[in-house]
Each structure stands twice: as structure tokens, then as C-alpha cells.
Amino acid sequence: LGNHQWVMPHRNDYSYPDKPPFFFWCIAFFSYLRGEVNSFTARLPSAISASGVIYFIFQWVKNGSNKNEIKLAYLTSFILLTSFMFFYQARMTQIDMLVCFFVTGAMVEGYKIISGERISFWPMAIYMGLGTITKGPIAFLLPLGACATYIYLNKIEWKKLPWRSVLISFIIPLIWLTFLLLEVIQKNEWDYLNNLLFKQTIVRYA
């Protein structure tokens, strides 16, 4: 927040190539509103993300005004909220809950596209795009894999797989990577780019 390194994340004044910057942008945003970085502003993105995940799950399970579905939605949300790791991550200054929010949102939107409830491809694309600059390709690999599994198990036509959302989702990471490449060239920090794109992405996922 203090050194204005918005494109290339830094930790304790050293470049931090392990993760993309969106989680740190969220902390910086809430810290700016409070006037300082503290434990509250650092944890707030995780807490808000956890609330969003519960909302996604509740609305997806409810899927109408049927009393049984509403009861099941409340029960499902309560079980998720009282899961130890979910509750634990919801109050931690870690990337996982934020990426969980984007992945869950993308999966729900993917289901809506496949089932015909959603016409627009943009919501799923935005969730995957922001998730990618939060923790990497996992943000579109998981939703795409879930959608493919759902299509396969339910014998749905493969043309309903939301490829358009996946392609649109690349726009957000490409914008960040363009600015990152310009900064890498300017500062001659090619080791940073190699670590981020090769070691932290290709090697880890392989």
C-alpha cells in the first residue's frame, strides 16, 4: 500500500512472484478506506468472500420458493458455515477464501448457462478472470472441469459447455500481464516473470 507497487506485488519491500495481485489489491482498497493496514482490513476480503460463497450456495440450492428447497438451502449453508476449514479460512489473511468465492460463483454461473437459466456469458467470465489474477489458472480449470463433468454425467450436448465464458475470462489476466510485462522490461526483473509464469503456474499445476 505504501510503495504503490500495484502491478508487481511486493512483500516487505521485496518482489513477491508467488501469487497474482488481486487479493493484495482488495486489502489495499479496504486499508485505504480505513486509513491504515491492520488485521481488520487484511481479513475483510476473506470474510466478505466467505459470506459471498454462502450466498451463492444458498441461492443455488433454494432454486425457487418451494419450502423444502428453502429448508435444504438453510441447512446446506449452515453445514458449510460450521465446517472447520471454511470458518477458519474465512477469518484468515490468505488468498484461499477469495479464490473460493470466484470459483464457486463461476461454477454456479456455469450451471445456469448449461441449464438455460442464464443467457449472458459475462458473469462466469468475470468470476474466472478475477479468480485467475487472484491465484492463477485454477480459477477457470475447476469451473470448466465441473461443468464438463456435469455435462458428461447428465448426457448433455457438449456444445453447451460455456467455452465463450472461458475465452472472455482471459481478457482480465491478459490486461494485467501486459502491464506486468512492461514493468518487468522496465525494471529488468525477468526472474520474477519466470518464477510467476513457469514455476508457480506450469510446474505446480503439472
Side-chain angles (χ1 to χ4, degrees):
L1 182 63
N3 59 15
H4 303 289
Q5 299 288 347
W6 301 108
V7 177
M8 184 184 296
H10 281 63
R11 182 173 62 181
N12 297 328
D13 295 325
Y14 292 97
S15 58
Y16 179 69
D18 291 3
K19 294 293 182 292
F22 191 75
F23 179 69
F24 309 105
W25 291 349
C26 292
I27 294 176
F29 172 75
F30 290 118
S31 299
Y32 175 78
L33 296 180
R34 294 272 297 190
E36 64 174 348
V37 179
N38 54 39
S39 61
F40 176 78
T41 60
R43 295 180 184 197
L44 197 54
S46 295
I48 293 174
S49 298
S51 301
V53 172
I54 292 172
Y55 173 79
F56 284 144
I57 296 300
F58 180 84
Q59 291 296 328
W60 183 59
V61 176
K62 182 167 74 75
N63 195 32
S65 56
N66 183 285
K67 287 185 177 180
N68 290 330
E69 289 179 346
I70 293 174
K71 288 180 180 178
L72 183 60
Y74 277 113
L75 179 60
T76 305
S77 302
F78 178 75
I79 291 171
L80 176 61
L81 179 61
T82 54
S83 298
F84 173 76
M85 281 305 296
F86 184 85
F87 186 80
Y88 176 78
Q89 290 291 342
R91 57 185 300 278
M92 294 296 292
T93 307
Q94 291 182 343
I95 293 173
D96 301 305
M97 188 52 67
L98 182 59
V99 77
C100 179
F101 169 79
F102 289 130
V103 167
T104 305
M107 286 182 176
V108 171
E109 290 298 327
Y111 169 79
K112 290 179 180 179
I113 292 171
I114 293 170
S115 63
E117 294 179 35
R118 174 78 72 186
I119 299 174
S120 175
F121 291 86
W122 282 98
M124 183 182 184
I126 291 171
Y127 287 134
M128 288 191 293
L130 292 177
T132 301
I133 63 170
T134 300
K135 199 171 183 177
I138 196 72
F140 68 82
L141 291 175
L142 272 178
L144 185 61
C147 289
T149 303
Y150 179 80
I151 286 175
Y152 175 75
L153 292 177
N154 289 277
K155 296 180 173 58
I156 299 172
E157 294 180 352
W158 284 103
K159 66 180 182 180
K160 290 202 172 185
L161 192 68
W163 280 109
R164 192 179 301 177
S165 292
V166 177
L167 294 175
I168 295 172
S169 73
F170 292 153
I171 295 173
I172 295 175
L174 285 175
I175 292 172
W176 168 63
L177 285 171
T178 300
F179 283 101
L180 178 63
L181 182 60
L182 292 174
E183 189 159 334
V184 165
I185 294 171
Q186 181 184 2
K187 296 182 177 180
N188 196 29
E189 294 202 32
W190 294 99
D191 287 342
Y192 176 96
L193 195 64
N194 178 63
N195 192 354
L196 178 69
L197 297 181
F198 184 71
K199 180 181 176 182
Q200 297 297 330
T201 302
I202 297 174
V203 172
R204 290 186 66 180
Y205 285 99

